[in-house]
Amino acid sequence: MSKNPVPTRMCSGCMTRRPKEELVRIVRTPQGVAKIDADGKEDGRGVYVCPNEECIKKAEKKNRTRAEVLEVTTWLTGYSADVIESALVTDITYG
């Protein structure tokens, strides 16, 4: 048995347990602001999510605020919030 077990957390989207370092933490500060907690030490209520689109969509369906989900999506994709919002309101077909 390892002396220092790896801390695990559950993804709010897919509900699988993963090592904490593989997940993204979104925190709502005491002031009510949602932001990505890069170092995992921010005060406030936090939620963990896998860094993939499917889990983000599932987390949004589970009563996560749109602002929380949008912040993670912008961080993961590198697109601005405006670009993502415009893509969500247009019908995009692939193939």
Side-chain angles (χ1 to χ4, degrees), residues 3 12 31 45-46 59 80 85 94:
K3 216 176 190 183
S12 184
Q31 294 78 23
R45 300 287 295 171
S80 70
E85 287 289 350
Y94 298 95

Side-chain angles (χ1 to χ4, degrees), residues 16-50:
T16 58
R17 294 192 70 78
R18 296 178 181 253
K20 183 179 170 182
E21 62 195 25
E22 292 179 10
L23 301 171
V24 177
R25 182 173 187 246
I26 306 165
V27 65
R28 181 176 293 139
T29 65
Q31 294 78 23
V33 177
K35 63 182 191 173
I36 293 174
D37 182 7
D39 60 4
K41 298 179 192 244
E42 293 284 338
D43 289 337
R45 300 287 295 171
V47 63
Y48 289 87
V49 66
C50 295

Side-chain angles (χ1 to χ4, degrees), residues 7-78:
T8 61
R9 300 291 183 267
M10 186 177 293
C11 171
S12 184
C14 65
M15 305 305 287
T16 58
R17 294 192 70 78
R18 296 178 181 253
K20 183 179 170 182
E21 62 195 25
E22 292 179 10
L23 301 171
V24 177
R25 182 173 187 246
I26 306 165
V27 65
R28 181 176 293 139
T29 65
Q31 294 78 23
V33 177
K35 63 182 191 173
I36 293 174
D37 182 7
D39 60 4
K41 298 179 192 244
E42 293 284 338
D43 289 337
R45 300 287 295 171
V47 63
Y48 289 87
V49 66
C50 295
N52 64 54
E53 189 175 345
E54 294 85 26
C55 288
I56 292 170
K57 286 181 181 180
K58 287 179 184 178
E60 185 178 32
K61 289 179 183 178
K62 293 179 180 183
N63 260 347
R64 306 295 179 242
T65 67
R66 187 163 185 84
E68 291 171 327
V69 174
L70 185 61
E71 186 167 354
V72 171
T73 307
T74 57
W75 178 74
L76 291 173
T77 63

